[in-house]
Structure formats: C-alpha cells, structure tokens
Amino acid sequence: GLCRPNGIAVAAAVCCAAAVVLWKDRRARRNWRVWTGAALSPVGWLGYVAWVGAREGSPLGYFAVQRGWGSRFDFGYDAFMFIRHLVIGLSRLGYYVTFALIVAALLALVFLSLIH
C-alpha cells in the first residue's frame, strides 16, 4: 500500500481471509493476531493517500492527482467497455489471451471454492 495505491486490494484480501478464519473457527475470535492483521492491512494505503493529500494541500489530493492523469473511479464502466470492445471489436491477440486468462482464473476460483 505504501508503494502503489492499488495495494488496497491486498488489504481487502487480508480482511477477507480474516473474516473467513473468524467465521470458521470460533477460537480465532480470541486471537489478537487475526484482528491486528485485519486492522493494520489498510494502513499503508491510508498512509499513501494521506501523504499525497498533504503534498497536494487537500485531504482529497490523491483523487485530484488521479484526475490529472485522466484516471477516475467509474464503478467498472471503463473495464466493461474494454471487455465489450474485446468481444465485438477487432483487437490484438494479447488482449484476447489476457481476457481468457482472467476468465479461466475466475472459473478456477469458483471450482476451488465449491470443492472445499
């Protein structure tokens, strides 16, 4: 999280893992390490966003920097349009391979969750 703001995905994964452990094992609810890990996981990302905000002079400075790069949070609309372009438009082979790998990874995730 201190290196890249999308480190929040790592924090989300840690929190999800902690939630699964807490849900499956009642004894883990008394384990301070599970709670501490989940609580500390977003600290790097929050620190990065706070640092950028301090440098920009605004608590929302990170989002101003993102706008300057032409990046914004659009609830997945741009990703949807890219996938739509892959499906109905002509594109390079690398995009199709990437799309196939993502679909295969998602299917593998579903199958692995079903067999456990």
Side-chain angles (χ1 to χ4, degrees):
L2 285 174
C3 298
R4 293 190 49 94
N6 50 358
I8 194 69
V10 176
V14 170
C15 288
C16 287
V20 169
V21 167
L22 292 170
W23 183 47
K24 288 188 173 191
D25 185 7
R26 291 189 183 275
R27 293 178 311 212
R29 294 177 186 170
R30 292 188 302 268
N31 188 341
W32 63 271
R33 286 180 262 189
V34 175
W35 293 101
T36 305
L40 290 178
S41 63
V43 169
W45 180 79
L46 291 170
Y48 178 79
V49 171
W51 177 78
V52 173
R55 298 271 305 186
E56 291 295 311
S58 166
L60 300 176
Y62 169 75
F63 301 104
V65 170
Q66 290 293 85
R67 274 192 305 279
W69 291 338
S71 179
R72 68 196 184 291
F73 186 75
D74 61 1
F75 296 97
Y77 176 77
D78 194 44
F80 172 76
M81 293 305 289
F82 181 72
I83 291 171
R84 181 176 170 261
H85 169 73
L86 285 178
V87 173
I88 65 173
L90 297 175
S91 194
R92 295 186 177 164
L93 180 62
Y95 291 141
Y96 292 112
V97 171
T98 302
F99 180 69
L101 287 172
I102 290 171
V103 169
L106 291 173
L107 288 173
L109 178 64
V110 168
F111 289 133
L112 286 172
S113 66
L114 292 175
I115 62 171
H116 188 277

